[in-house]
Amino acid sequence: MVALKHIIDELGLKVYCCRDTLDRPIIGGYSGDLLSDVMAHSHAGEIWITIQTHPNIIAVASLKELGAILLANGRAPLPETLEKAEMERISVLGSPLPAFELAARLSRLF
Amino acid sequence: MPACDAEGTGKPLLRQGYAVQGGDFLAGGTVSTRIKDLLKEIGLSPALIRRAAICCYEAEMNVVMYARQGTMTVEIHPRELVIRVEDEGPGIPDVELAMQEGYSTATDFMRSRGFGAGMGLPNIRRNADLLEIESVVGRGTSLRAVIRLV
Ligand SMILES: Nc1ncnc2c1ncn2[C@@H]1O[C@H](COP(=O)(O)OP(=O)(O)O)[C@@H](O)[C@H]1O
Ligand SMILES: [Mg+2]
């Protein structure tokens, strides 16, 4: 298990939301842009790497109790996505790196 | 014991219905989130809640993507949880085909947003103990997923 704060520091992630949700422990990660695939294969407490930025990712993260969403390739969340993230208390992070590179760096922390 | 009891067709201990609006991607998933909160409140095990959440989400998004409007109803029976989704919409011409992993009629817009993997109905089938779909082309679809609690 790795503290989300530690991941943010190590990978130099941008925090879009929400400052007070960053103390969660992360148990691993899942990478994917197909929502049904993430619904099927992700686990509670994982950090989810994706390039999807629309509000439905918050529903997915909330229903699956994911630890955080990490947007790859410098993608920024839509304003309505952040609104939902605030409501559902989901951490939304970002990085200019592509998913492959993020997954590689993340896996070294576990 | 009548067979219907095992499939959750008797009078439920609790029933809660929600409206789902077709085409409303912004609200898509909200009903499932509320049902999940309800199931948590009731004290269902995390494993059962996880399975129910997947069924609800996929069924809800199918109404959002393909139908005009629908209702999602969750029923708690002594031995099972029943998720019922009824919609007014185009219906499904070939349910067996629609159940196949990878089959999807999602639009480019939907696919660009990560929908349309053709995994929704298969996800429901994997997570429910029983899945029934009845559909009338030009009218709508009714889906019933049963999850055994014991
Ligand atoms: N409620 C519905 N009304 C009309 N068509 C539906 C409905 N649900 C599913 N379908 C049809 O079944 C197909 C497969 O559904 P699904 O397995 O959820 O995959 P996806 O939604 O990714 O296409 C859909 O593409 C659509 O053609
Ligand atoms: Mg679907």
Side-chain angles (χ1 to χ4, degrees):
Chain A
M1 239 156 31
V2 180
L4 184 53
K5 278 200 180 96
H6 180 66
I7 293 175
I8 293 168
D9 290 342
E10 284 294 313
L11 274 70
L13 303 178
K14 185 174 163 94
V15 177
Y16 289 107
C17 176
C18 315
R19 283 276 159 210
D20 57 328
T21 62
L22 306 181
D23 48 4
R24 293 176 183 163
I26 300 296
I27 63 151
Y30 193 77
S31 175
D33 304 316
L34 296 175
L35 303 184
S36 286
D37 173 69
V38 177
M39 281 305 290
H41 299 299
S42 66
H43 298 99
E46 288 177 342
I47 183 167
W48 172 24
I49 308 172
T50 185
I51 58 166
Q52 299 293 351
T53 59
H54 58 80
N56 215 261
I57 59 173
I58 305 302
V60 170
S62 169
L63 284 166
K64 295 291 298 196
E65 297 181 5
L66 301 178
I69 300 174
L70 171 49
L71 303 177
N73 287 349
R75 298 225 180 185
L78 299 177
E80 53 270 35
T81 305
L82 283 185
E83 232 169 83
K84 288 218 172 216
E86 291 271 1
M87 261 159 41
E88 297 289 330
R89 313 311 297 154
I90 302 287
S91 318
V92 181
L93 315 165
S95 167
L97 296 173
F100 177 83
E101 188 61 36
L102 287 171
R105 290 189 190 193
L106 264 170
S107 67
R108 278 180 221 134
L109 302 178
F110 285 90
Chain B
M1 195 176 76
C4 62
D5 268 352
E7 296 181 352
T9 46
K11 193 172 182 296
L13 303 171
L14 186 147
R15 172 190 280 139
Q16 185 80 53
Y18 306 83
V20 181
Q21 186 57 48
D24 189 350
F25 281 85
L26 186 58
T30 330
V31 167
S32 301
T33 307
R34 279 165 69 189
I35 290 177
K36 188 188 162 218
D37 290 344
L38 175 72
L39 298 181
K40 254 188 166 167
E41 238 170 78
I42 288 169
L44 239 64
S45 77
L48 289 171
I49 293 176
R50 270 198 295 277
R51 288 168 58 202
I54 292 172
C55 294
C56 287
Y57 174 79
E58 297 290 3
E60 180 182 359
M61 288 316 299
N62 279 352
V63 174
V64 170
M65 287 195 280
Y66 307 112
R68 278 189 305 281
Q69 59 186 41
T71 56
M72 182 136 99
T73 309
V74 60
E75 288 177 3
I76 313 290
H77 295 259
R79 302 167 70 88
E80 55 273 309
L81 171 81
V82 179
I83 300 152
R84 226 184 270 282
V85 185
E86 265 140 35
D87 72 51
E88 292 166 27
I92 305 174
D94 186 341
V95 172
E96 208 181 307
L97 179 64
M99 292 288 294
Q100 281 179 24
E101 184 125 13
Y103 176 82
S104 178
T105 60
T107 62
D108 286 347
F109 167 80
M110 295 170 190
R111 285 169 201 266
S112 73
R113 297 192 145 213
F115 301 105
M119 287 176 66
L121 296 176
N123 273 355
I124 299 174
R125 184 164 49 186
R126 265 192 295 274
N127 284 281
D129 292 302
L130 179 77
L131 170 61
E132 289 170 350
I133 298 174
E134 278 165 31
S135 195
V136 180
V137 172
R139 297 190 77 167
T141 301
S142 118
L143 176 152
R144 186 167 162 273
V146 180
I147 295 175
R148 273 190 228 109
L149 301 178
V150 285

Coordinates of all heavy atoms in Angstrom, one line a residue, chain A residues 33-44 52 54-65 75 78 80-81 84 87-88, chain B residues 25-30 32-34 36-37 40 49-50 53-54 57-58 61 111-120 123 126-127:
Chain A
D33 N -9.3 3.1 -20.9 CA -10.1 4.2 -21.4 C -11.5 3.8 -21.7 O -12.4 4.6 -22.1 CB -9.5 4.9 -22.6 CG -8.1 5.4 -22.2 OD1 -7.9 6.0 -21.1 OD2 -7.2 5.2 -23.1
L34 N -11.7 2.4 -21.7 CA -13.1 1.9 -22.0 C -13.8 1.7 -20.6 O -13.3 0.9 -19.8 CB -13.0 0.6 -22.7 CG -12.4 0.6 -24.1 CD1 -12.2 -0.8 -24.7 CD2 -13.3 1.5 -25.0
L35 N -14.9 2.4 -20.4 CA -15.5 2.5 -19.1 C -16.0 1.1 -18.6 O -15.8 0.8 -17.5 CB -16.6 3.5 -19.1 CG -16.1 4.9 -19.5 CD1 -17.3 5.9 -19.4 CD2 -14.9 5.4 -18.7
S36 N -16.5 0.3 -19.5 CA -17.0 -1.0 -19.1 C -15.9 -1.9 -18.7 O -16.0 -2.8 -17.9 CB -17.8 -1.6 -20.3 OG -19.1 -1.0 -20.4
D37 N -14.7 -1.7 -19.4 CA -13.6 -2.5 -19.1 C -13.1 -2.1 -17.7 O -12.7 -3.0 -16.9 CB -12.5 -2.3 -20.1 CG -11.1 -2.9 -19.7 OD1 -11.1 -4.2 -19.7 OD2 -10.2 -2.2 -19.3
V38 N -13.1 -0.9 -17.4 CA -12.7 -0.4 -16.0 C -13.7 -0.9 -15.0 O -13.3 -1.3 -13.9 CB -12.5 1.1 -16.0 CG1 -12.1 1.6 -14.6 CG2 -11.4 1.6 -17.0
M39 N -14.9 -0.8 -15.3 CA -16.0 -1.3 -14.4 C -15.7 -2.8 -14.1 O -15.9 -3.2 -13.0 CB -17.4 -1.2 -15.0 CG -18.0 0.2 -14.9 SD -18.1 0.9 -13.3 CE -19.3 -0.1 -12.5
A40 N -15.3 -3.5 -15.1 CA -15.2 -5.0 -15.0 C -13.9 -5.4 -14.2 O -13.9 -6.3 -13.4 CB -15.2 -5.7 -16.3
H41 N -12.8 -4.6 -14.5 CA -11.5 -5.2 -14.1 C -10.8 -4.4 -13.0 O -9.7 -4.8 -12.5 CB -10.6 -5.3 -15.3 CG -11.1 -6.3 -16.3 ND1 -11.4 -7.6 -16.0 CD2 -11.6 -6.2 -17.5 CE1 -11.9 -8.3 -17.0 NE2 -12.0 -7.4 -18.0
S42 N -11.2 -3.2 -12.7 CA -10.5 -2.4 -11.7 C -10.9 -2.8 -10.3 O -12.0 -3.5 -10.1 CB -10.8 -0.9 -11.8 OG -12.2 -0.6 -11.6
H43 N -10.1 -2.5 -9.3 CA -10.5 -2.9 -7.9 C -10.5 -1.6 -7.0 O -9.8 -0.6 -7.3 CB -9.4 -3.8 -7.3 CG -9.4 -5.1 -8.1 ND1 -8.4 -5.3 -9.0 CD2 -10.1 -6.2 -8.0 CE1 -8.6 -6.5 -9.6 NE2 -9.6 -7.1 -9.0
A44 N -11.3 -1.7 -5.9 CA -11.4 -0.7 -5.0 C -10.0 -0.3 -4.5 O -9.2 -1.2 -4.2 CB -12.3 -1.1 -3.8
Q52 N -9.7 9.7 -20.5 CA -11.1 10.2 -20.5 C -11.2 11.4 -19.4 O -10.7 11.2 -18.3 CB -12.1 9.1 -20.1 CG -12.1 8.0 -21.1 CD -12.6 8.3 -22.5 OE1 -13.1 9.4 -22.7 NE2 -12.4 7.4 -23.4
H54 N -14.4 13.3 -19.1 CA -15.8 13.7 -19.0 C -16.4 13.3 -17.6 O -15.8 12.4 -17.0 CB -16.6 13.3 -20.1 CG -16.6 11.8 -20.3 ND1 -17.3 10.9 -19.6 CD2 -15.8 11.0 -21.2 CE1 -17.1 9.7 -20.0 NE2 -16.2 9.7 -20.9
P55 N -17.5 13.8 -17.2 CA -18.0 13.6 -15.9 C -18.3 12.1 -15.5 O -18.3 11.7 -14.4 CB -19.3 14.4 -15.8 CG -19.3 15.3 -16.9 CD -18.3 14.8 -17.9
N56 N -18.5 11.3 -16.5 CA -18.9 9.9 -16.2 C -17.8 9.1 -15.5 O -18.0 8.1 -14.9 CB -19.4 9.2 -17.5 CG -20.5 8.2 -17.2 OD1 -20.2 7.0 -17.1 ND2 -21.7 8.7 -17.0
I57 N -16.5 9.6 -15.7 CA -15.4 8.9 -15.0 C -15.6 9.0 -13.5 O -15.1 8.1 -12.8 CB -14.0 9.4 -15.5 CG1 -13.8 10.9 -15.2 CG2 -13.8 9.1 -16.9 CD1 -12.4 11.4 -15.4
I58 N -16.2 10.0 -13.0 CA -16.4 10.2 -11.6 C -17.4 9.1 -11.1 O -17.2 8.5 -10.0 CB -16.9 11.6 -11.2 CG1 -15.9 12.7 -11.8 CG2 -17.1 11.8 -9.7 CD1 -14.5 12.5 -11.3
A59 N -18.5 8.9 -11.9 CA -19.4 7.8 -11.5 C -18.7 6.5 -11.5 O -18.9 5.7 -10.5 CB -20.6 7.8 -12.6
V60 N -17.9 6.2 -12.5 CA -17.1 4.9 -12.5 C -16.2 4.8 -11.2 O -16.3 3.8 -10.5 CB -16.3 4.8 -13.8 CG1 -15.4 3.6 -13.7 CG2 -17.2 4.7 -15.0
A61 N -15.5 5.9 -11.0 CA -14.6 5.9 -9.8 C -15.3 5.7 -8.5 O -14.9 5.0 -7.6 CB -13.7 7.1 -9.8
S62 N -16.4 6.4 -8.4 CA -17.2 6.3 -7.2 C -17.9 4.9 -7.0 O -17.8 4.4 -5.9 CB -18.3 7.4 -7.2 OG -19.2 7.3 -6.2
L63 N -18.4 4.4 -8.1 CA -19.1 3.1 -8.0 C -18.1 2.0 -7.6 O -18.4 1.1 -6.9 CB -19.8 2.8 -9.3 CG -21.1 3.5 -9.5 CD1 -21.6 3.4 -10.9 CD2 -22.2 3.0 -8.5
K64 N -16.9 2.1 -8.2 CA -15.8 1.1 -8.0 C -15.0 1.4 -6.8 O -14.0 0.7 -6.4 CB -15.0 0.9 -9.2 CG -15.7 0.4 -10.4 CD -16.1 -1.1 -10.3 CE -14.9 -2.0 -10.2 NZ -15.2 -3.4 -10.4
E65 N -15.2 2.6 -6.1 CA -14.5 3.0 -5.0 C -13.0 3.1 -5.3 O -12.1 2.6 -4.5 CB -14.8 2.1 -3.7 CG -16.2 2.3 -3.4 CD -16.6 1.4 -2.1 OE1 -15.8 0.8 -1.5 OE2 -17.8 1.4 -1.8
R75 N -4.0 15.7 -20.2 CA -5.4 16.0 -20.3 C -5.9 16.7 -19.0 O -5.5 16.3 -17.9 CB -6.2 14.8 -20.6 CG -5.8 14.1 -21.9 CD -7.0 13.7 -22.6 NE -6.6 13.1 -23.9 CZ -7.6 12.7 -24.8 NH1 -8.8 13.0 -24.5 NH2 -7.2 12.2 -25.9
L78 N -12.8 18.2 -17.5 CA -13.8 19.2 -17.8 C -14.3 19.8 -16.5 O -14.3 19.2 -15.4 CB -15.0 18.6 -18.6 CG -14.6 18.0 -19.9 CD1 -15.9 17.3 -20.5 CD2 -14.0 19.0 -20.8
E80 N -17.3 20.3 -15.4 CA -18.4 19.6 -14.8 C -17.9 18.3 -14.2 O -18.5 17.7 -13.3 CB -19.5 19.3 -15.8 CG -19.1 18.7 -17.2 CD -18.8 19.7 -18.2 OE1 -18.2 20.8 -17.9 OE2 -19.0 19.5 -19.4
T81 N -16.7 17.8 -14.7 CA -16.1 16.6 -14.1 C -15.6 16.9 -12.7 O -15.8 16.2 -11.7 CB -15.0 16.1 -15.0 OG1 -15.4 15.9 -16.3 CG2 -14.3 14.8 -14.4
K84 N -18.4 17.2 -10.2 CA -18.8 15.9 -9.7 C -17.8 15.3 -8.7 O -18.1 14.6 -7.8 CB -19.1 14.9 -10.9 CG -20.3 15.3 -11.6 CD -21.0 14.0 -12.1 CE -22.3 14.4 -12.7 NZ -23.4 13.6 -12.5
M87 N -18.2 16.6 -5.3 CA -19.4 16.0 -4.7 C -19.2 14.6 -4.2 O -19.6 14.2 -3.1 CB -20.6 16.0 -5.7 CG -21.5 17.2 -5.5 SD -22.5 17.6 -7.0 CE -23.0 15.9 -7.6
E88 N -18.5 13.8 -5.1 CA -18.3 12.4 -4.7 C -17.0 12.2 -3.9 O -16.6 11.0 -3.6 CB -18.3 11.6 -6.0 CG -19.6 11.6 -6.8 CD -20.7 10.8 -6.0 OE1 -20.4 9.9 -5.3 OE2 -21.9 11.2 -6.2
Chain B
F25 N -26.0 12.4 -20.5 CA -24.7 11.8 -20.1 C -24.1 12.4 -18.8 O -23.4 11.8 -18.1 CB -23.7 11.9 -21.2 CG -23.9 10.9 -22.3 CD1 -24.8 11.1 -23.3 CD2 -23.2 9.7 -22.3 CE1 -25.0 10.2 -24.3 CE2 -23.4 8.8 -23.3 CZ -24.3 9.0 -24.3
L26 N -24.5 13.7 -18.6 CA -24.0 14.4 -17.4 C -24.6 13.7 -16.1 O -23.9 13.5 -15.1 CB -24.5 15.8 -17.4 CG -23.9 16.7 -16.3 CD1 -22.4 16.7 -16.3 CD2 -24.5 18.1 -16.4
A27 N -25.8 13.2 -16.2 CA -26.4 12.6 -15.0 C -26.2 11.1 -15.0 O -26.4 10.4 -14.0 CB -27.9 12.8 -15.0
G28 N -25.6 10.5 -16.1 CA -25.4 9.1 -16.2 C -24.6 8.5 -15.1 O -23.5 9.0 -14.9
G29 N -25.1 7.6 -14.4 CA -24.4 7.0 -13.3 C -24.9 7.4 -11.9 O -24.6 6.8 -10.9
T30 N -25.7 8.5 -11.9 CA -26.2 9.1 -10.7 C -27.1 8.1 -10.0 O -27.0 7.9 -8.7 CB -26.9 10.4 -10.9 OG1 -26.4 11.0 -12.0 CG2 -26.8 11.3 -9.7
S32 N -27.3 4.9 -10.3 CA -26.5 3.7 -9.8 C -25.8 4.1 -8.5 O -25.7 3.3 -7.5 CB -25.5 3.3 -10.8 OG -26.1 2.9 -12.0
T33 N -25.2 5.3 -8.4 CA -24.5 5.7 -7.2 C -25.5 5.8 -6.0 O -25.2 5.4 -4.9 CB -23.9 7.1 -7.5 OG1 -23.1 7.0 -8.7 CG2 -23.0 7.5 -6.3
R34 N -26.7 6.3 -6.3 CA -27.7 6.4 -5.2 C -28.1 5.0 -4.7 O -28.3 4.7 -3.5 CB -28.9 7.2 -5.7 CG -28.6 8.7 -5.6 CD -29.6 9.5 -6.3 NE -30.9 9.5 -5.7 CZ -32.0 10.0 -6.3 NH1 -31.9 10.6 -7.5 NH2 -33.2 10.0 -5.8
K36 N -26.3 2.3 -4.9 CA -25.2 1.8 -4.1 C -25.2 2.3 -2.7 O -24.9 1.6 -1.8 CB -23.9 2.2 -4.8 CG -22.7 1.5 -4.2 CD -21.4 2.0 -4.8 CE -20.3 1.6 -3.9 NZ -19.3 2.6 -3.8
D37 N -25.4 3.6 -2.6 CA -25.5 4.2 -1.2 C -26.6 3.5 -0.4 O -26.4 3.3 0.8 CB -25.8 5.7 -1.3 CG -24.6 6.5 -1.9 OD1 -23.5 5.9 -1.9 OD2 -24.8 7.6 -2.3
K40 N -25.5 0.1 0.7 CA -24.5 0.3 1.8 C -25.2 0.5 3.1 O -24.9 -0.1 4.2 CB -23.6 1.5 1.5 CG -22.2 1.1 1.1 CD -21.4 2.3 1.0 CE -19.9 2.0 0.9 NZ -19.1 3.1 0.5
I49 N -22.4 -5.6 -3.0 CA -22.6 -4.2 -3.5 C -21.8 -4.0 -4.8 O -22.3 -3.4 -5.7 CB -22.2 -3.2 -2.4 CG1 -23.1 -3.3 -1.2 CG2 -22.2 -1.8 -2.9 CD1 -22.8 -2.4 0.0
R50 N -20.6 -4.5 -4.8 CA -19.8 -4.4 -6.0 C -20.5 -4.9 -7.2 O -20.5 -4.3 -8.3 CB -18.4 -5.0 -5.8 CG -17.3 -4.1 -5.2 CD -15.9 -4.7 -5.5 NE -15.7 -6.0 -4.8 CZ -15.4 -6.1 -3.5 NH1 -15.2 -5.0 -2.8 NH2 -15.2 -7.2 -2.9
A53 N -23.5 -2.8 -8.2 CA -23.1 -1.6 -8.7 C -22.8 -1.7 -10.2 O -23.1 -0.8 -11.0 CB -21.9 -1.0 -7.9
I54 N -22.1 -2.8 -10.6 CA -21.7 -3.0 -12.0 C -23.0 -3.2 -12.8 O -23.2 -2.6 -13.8 CB -20.8 -4.2 -12.1 CG1 -19.4 -3.8 -11.5 CG2 -20.6 -4.6 -13.5 CD1 -18.4 -5.0 -11.4
Y57 N -24.9 0.2 -13.1 CA -24.2 1.1 -13.9 C -24.4 0.8 -15.4 O -24.7 1.7 -16.2 CB -22.7 1.2 -13.6 CG -22.0 2.1 -14.5 CD1 -22.0 3.5 -14.4 CD2 -21.2 1.6 -15.6 CE1 -21.3 4.3 -15.3 CE2 -20.5 2.4 -16.4 CZ -20.6 3.7 -16.3 OH -19.9 4.5 -17.1
E58 N -24.2 -0.4 -15.8 CA -24.2 -0.8 -17.2 C -25.7 -0.7 -17.7 O -25.9 -0.3 -18.8 CB -23.7 -2.3 -17.4 CG -22.2 -2.5 -17.0 CD -21.3 -1.8 -18.0 OE1 -21.8 -1.1 -18.9 OE2 -20.1 -1.9 -17.8
M61 N -26.5 3.1 -18.0 CA -25.9 3.7 -19.1 C -26.5 3.3 -20.4 O -26.5 4.0 -21.4 CB -24.4 3.5 -19.1 CG -23.6 4.2 -18.1 SD -24.0 6.0 -17.8 CE -23.7 6.7 -19.4
R111 N -18.3 6.3 -28.4 CA -17.0 5.6 -28.4 C -15.9 6.4 -28.0 O -15.0 6.0 -27.3 CB -16.8 4.9 -29.7 CG -17.7 3.7 -30.0 CD -17.6 3.3 -31.5 NE -18.8 2.5 -31.8 CZ -18.8 1.1 -31.8 NH1 -17.8 0.5 -31.4 NH2 -19.9 0.5 -32.1
S112 N -15.9 7.7 -28.5 CA -14.8 8.6 -28.2 C -14.7 8.9 -26.7 O -13.7 9.3 -26.1 CB -14.9 9.9 -28.9 OG -16.0 10.7 -28.4
R113 N -15.9 8.7 -26.0 CA -15.9 8.9 -24.5 C -15.7 7.6 -23.8 O -15.9 7.6 -22.5 CB -17.2 9.6 -24.2 CG -17.3 10.9 -24.8 CD -18.5 11.7 -24.3 NE -18.1 13.1 -24.2 CZ -18.5 14.0 -23.3 NH1 -19.3 13.6 -22.3 NH2 -18.2 15.2 -23.3
G114 N -15.4 6.5 -24.4 CA -15.1 5.3 -23.7 C -16.3 4.4 -23.5 O -16.2 3.4 -22.8
F115 N -17.4 4.7 -24.1 CA -18.5 3.9 -24.1 C -18.5 3.0 -25.3 O -17.7 3.2 -26.2 CB -19.9 4.7 -24.1 CG -20.0 5.6 -22.9 CD1 -19.8 7.0 -23.1 CD2 -20.3 5.1 -21.7 CE1 -19.9 7.8 -22.0 CE2 -20.4 6.0 -20.6 CZ -20.2 7.3 -20.8
G116 N -19.4 2.0 -25.4 CA -19.5 1.2 -26.6 C -18.5 0.1 -26.8 O -18.1 -0.2 -27.9
A117 N -18.0 -0.4 -25.6 CA -17.0 -1.5 -25.7 C -17.8 -2.8 -26.0 O -17.1 -3.8 -26.2 CB -16.2 -1.6 -24.4
G118 N -19.1 -2.7 -25.9 CA -19.9 -4.0 -26.1 C -19.7 -4.9 -24.9 O -19.8 -6.1 -25.1
M119 N -19.4 -4.4 -23.8 CA -19.2 -5.2 -22.6 C -20.2 -5.0 -21.5 O -20.2 -5.7 -20.4 CB -17.8 -4.8 -22.0 CG -16.6 -5.3 -22.7 SD -15.1 -4.7 -21.9 CE -15.1 -5.6 -20.4
G120 N -21.2 -4.2 -21.8 CA -22.2 -3.8 -20.7 C -23.0 -5.0 -20.3 O -23.1 -5.4 -19.1
N123 N -21.1 -7.8 -18.8 CA -20.7 -7.5 -17.4 C -21.9 -7.8 -16.5 O -21.7 -8.2 -15.4 CB -20.3 -6.0 -17.3 CG -18.9 -5.7 -17.6 OD1 -18.1 -6.6 -17.8 ND2 -18.5 -4.4 -17.6
R126 N -22.2 -11.5 -16.0 CA -21.2 -12.1 -15.2 C -21.5 -11.8 -13.7 O -21.1 -12.6 -12.8 CB -19.8 -11.5 -15.6 CG -19.0 -12.5 -16.5 CD -17.6 -12.0 -16.6 NE -17.5 -10.7 -17.2 CZ -17.4 -10.5 -18.5 NH1 -17.5 -11.5 -19.3 NH2 -17.3 -9.3 -19.0
N127 N -22.1 -10.6 -13.4 CA -22.2 -10.2 -12.0 C -23.6 -10.5 -11.4 O -23.7 -10.4 -10.2 CB -21.9 -8.7 -11.9 CG -20.4 -8.5 -12.0 OD1 -19.7 -8.7 -11.0 ND2 -19.9 -8.1 -13.1

